[in-house]
Amino acid sequence: MPGSSPIFISYRREDSKPETERIYEHLIAKFGRTSVFKDVNSIPLGSPFVESLEQALGECQVLLVIIGKHWATIKDANGRHRLGIPDDPVRFEIESALRRKIPIIPIFLEGVRMPLPSQLPESLHNLPLQNGTQVGQDPSFEPDMARLIQALTEIMVQTKPGAHVEVLPNNTSLEMIKVPGGTFAMGSSEGEDGWKNDEAPRHSVEIASFWMSKFPITQIQWDAVANLKPITYDLPLNPSYFSGNENLPVESITWYEACEFCARLSKKTGQSYWLPSEAEWEYSCRANTITPFSFGRTITEKQANFDNHVKRTTELGGYPISNNFELFDMHGNVWEWCLDHWHENYRGAPSDGEAWYTNNKDKERICRGGSWNYDPIHCRSASRMCHSPNKNSKTIGFRVVRKT
């Protein structure tokens, strides 16, 4: 049986096979091959066809109906309009989505409009009520696909419990995950491999629910916000040492610049964004685990980017395993700035999850999570690092949080 794919494509091969293939290739390049279901190619050999379609439709978050010039008028070998046949697969897919109240996006190819109600069976009379979009030929194909991908991103996040999408300038999106409140033991015990004095004493911390970005901030997200009007500091465009891919994490930015990003994002959205406190970060990383890593007692190069295996940062989401809170890249790739000032241990640390400051505004700030060139010990959930707030490094990025 097919796995869970959030995007389901419905089309007729005789009507739009080459156009659909091109749309499909763009979608899998953005969302991944397993995220897009397209006809029999997505059904394993030997699986029952109708049951497989039912399962895929039941698990999808959005149905794309690709409509070409002959979509509504194609006939079978007996001269019957295929839409008029109850067991026609395209009709079955749309009826199932309407019945399940799954969002439907009609996609009109070049020069095509929605069929007239007289061309549709009664069971599909609500199809024209669905807001569709045009995907034309070149040169409009790329901007048309960009709009479609943005719409799909918003639908997929908004229809997923505990998720939210913030739309940034230039139609860039920022996915946020709701982290549930709870209590956890912060720090590590002396018996843990890699333990250091600064991770003690282990202590109980109560965390209120909040939102955290699903990934570290990407380079395209950085540039979208860096182009906004300054609040306190100027922000450089394209600051990262590693470039060439807009979905790489931004790095080579200072703590002050990360805070300026949060200030501009807050003003733009009307929400209050900031860097996570050290306690919020570790709680989110552990995600109800007590092992050195959220994946268990050890970590492998198939789970994260660390120990110079790749020798650079990697695209966010390239390691398809999240922790229990559905947060990605919490171990390795880039260190992540936190709000707190550096303290040599946890004696006197707050127990409410708030950031821990000193009277020295130039005190070193906390970084968490390890990076692409650090060994596994430094990528543990409890591992701590500090740097001057003025330091920028190709190993340091950040992610953002806001209140629920």
Side-chain angles (χ1 to χ4, degrees):
M1 301 293 283
S4 176
S5 300
I7 302 170
F8 189 113
I9 295 179
S10 173
Y11 77 108
R12 294 198 184 281
R13 293 190 177 194
E14 306 93 320
D15 176 58
S16 59
K17 183 177 180 180
E19 296 90 344
T20 299
E21 286 294 334
R22 192 179 184 193
I23 292 170
Y24 173 70
E25 291 298 327
H26 271 63
L27 293 179
I28 64 174
K30 174 65 178 180
F31 299 107
R33 191 171 299 274
T34 59
S35 294
V36 186
F37 182 99
K38 182 176 72 69
D39 65 38
V40 294
N41 294 334
S42 299
I43 299 176
L45 294 176
S47 298
F49 183 74
V50 174
E51 290 86 343
S52 295
L53 283 181
E54 278 280 13
Q55 179 180 327
L57 286 161
E59 294 172 345
C60 79
Q61 296 176 40
V62 59
L63 175 71
L64 305 184
V65 180
I66 299 180
I67 301 176
K69 292 182 179 180
H70 307 294
W71 181 83
T73 58
I74 288 177
K75 298 179 180 180
D76 69 3
N78 296 317
R80 299 177 300 172
H81 283 101
R82 293 181 59 178
L83 274 181
I85 303 171
D87 59 357
D88 172 58
V90 168
R91 174 174 169 173
F92 169 81
E93 291 160 358
I94 300 171
E95 286 175 343
S96 181
L98 289 169
R99 185 174 66 252
R100 298 170 187 266
K101 300 187 184 305
I102 295 169
I104 298 174
I105 301 179
I107 297 177
F108 307 112
L109 300 181
E110 189 82 27
V112 176
R113 296 183 178 181
M114 179 66 75
L116 297 171
S118 60
Q119 296 177 290
L120 300 174
E122 186 176 354
S123 61
L124 301 188
H125 277 187
N126 282 336
L127 179 62
L129 302 179
Q130 316 303 311
N131 191 21
T133 187
Q134 189 93 28
V135 175
Q137 300 171 358
D138 292 324
S140 65
F141 178 82
E142 292 293 343
D144 287 349
M145 283 301 300
R147 285 191 294 272
L148 174 62
I149 286 171
Q150 178 63 33
L152 288 172
T153 300
E154 295 179 21
I155 290 173
M156 290 163 62
V157 174
Q158 301 290 17
T159 57
K160 188 173 184 178
H164 170 75
V165 64
E166 197 75 78
V167 179
L168 308 181
N170 298 327
N171 286 325
T172 303
S173 61
L174 172 63
E175 294 182 58
M176 303 293 292
I177 298 295
K178 188 175 183 180
V179 177
T183 301
F184 81 114
M186 185 173 180
S188 67
S189 301
E190 194 167 346
E192 181 171 307
D193 186 25
W195 176 86
K196 297 179 182 178
N197 289 330
D198 61 28
E199 298 168 15
R202 204 169 192 193
H203 58 292
S204 179
V205 180
E206 185 174 357
I207 302 289
S209 178
F210 61 96
W211 294 89
M212 174 176 268
S213 56
K214 184 176 183 178
F215 304 101
I217 296 301
T218 65
Q219 294 181 19
I220 190 173
Q221 291 167 344
W222 174 270
D223 285 349
V225 173
N227 275 304
L228 297 175
K229 185 177 179 180
I231 305 295
T232 305
Y233 303 101
D234 291 329
L235 291 180
L237 294 175
N238 305 311
S240 300
Y241 178 84
F242 299 109
S243 60
N245 186 328
E246 62 188 20
N247 289 318
L248 289 173
V250 69
E251 25 84 4
S252 301
I253 45 94
T254 70
W255 182 89
Y256 291 115
E257 289 168 341
C259 290
E260 173 70 14
F261 178 98
C262 294
R264 295 190 194 185
L265 179 60
S266 298
K267 185 172 183 180
K268 173 66 176 176
T269 62
Q271 302 286 345
S272 182
Y273 282 91
W274 65 95
L275 298 177
S277 71
E278 186 177 18
E280 288 173 333
W281 192 97
E282 184 172 329
Y283 175 75
S284 301
C285 180
R286 289 189 177 279
N288 294 328
T289 63
I290 60 173
T291 49
F293 304 93
S294 61
F295 305 128
R297 299 196 60 81
T298 59
I299 194 171
T300 73
E301 58 188 271
K302 292 183 179 181
Q303 296 170 317
N305 178 15
F306 65 98
D307 214 15
N308 245 338
H309 291 302
V310 184
K311 302 186 184 304
R312 59 167 297 155
T313 59
T314 47
E315 182 175 356
L316 297 171
Y319 295 86
I321 305 174
S322 70
N323 68 13
N324 292 335
F325 289 162
E326 299 195 14
L327 299 168
F328 290 78
D329 289 83
M330 297 297 288
H331 302 290
N333 215 359
V334 287
W335 289 97
E336 298 179 18
W337 286 117
C338 294
L339 275 179
D340 308 50
H341 293 181
W342 172 255
H343 293 79
E344 293 184 351
N345 54 55
Y346 288 135
R347 293 184 181 89
S351 60
D352 59 1
E354 295 297 315
W356 192 14
Y357 300 109
T358 68
N359 293 325
N360 180 4
K361 68 180 181 64
D362 296 320
K363 183 75 173 176
E364 296 92 341
R365 275 14 180 231
I366 300 292
C367 292
R368 286 301 208 107
S371 75
W372 56 271
N373 64 341
Y374 274 73
D375 60 27
I377 284 175
H378 288 89
C379 299
R380 293 175 300 118
S381 299
S383 179
R384 309 173 72 213
M385 181 73 77
C386 68
H387 287 292
S388 163
N390 289 304
K391 180 181 177 64
N392 63 57
S393 166
K394 59 187 176 184
T395 65
I396 305 175
F398 70 105
R399 67 179 78 212
V400 298
V401 297
R402 70 172 176 83
K403 293 292 186 186
T404 55

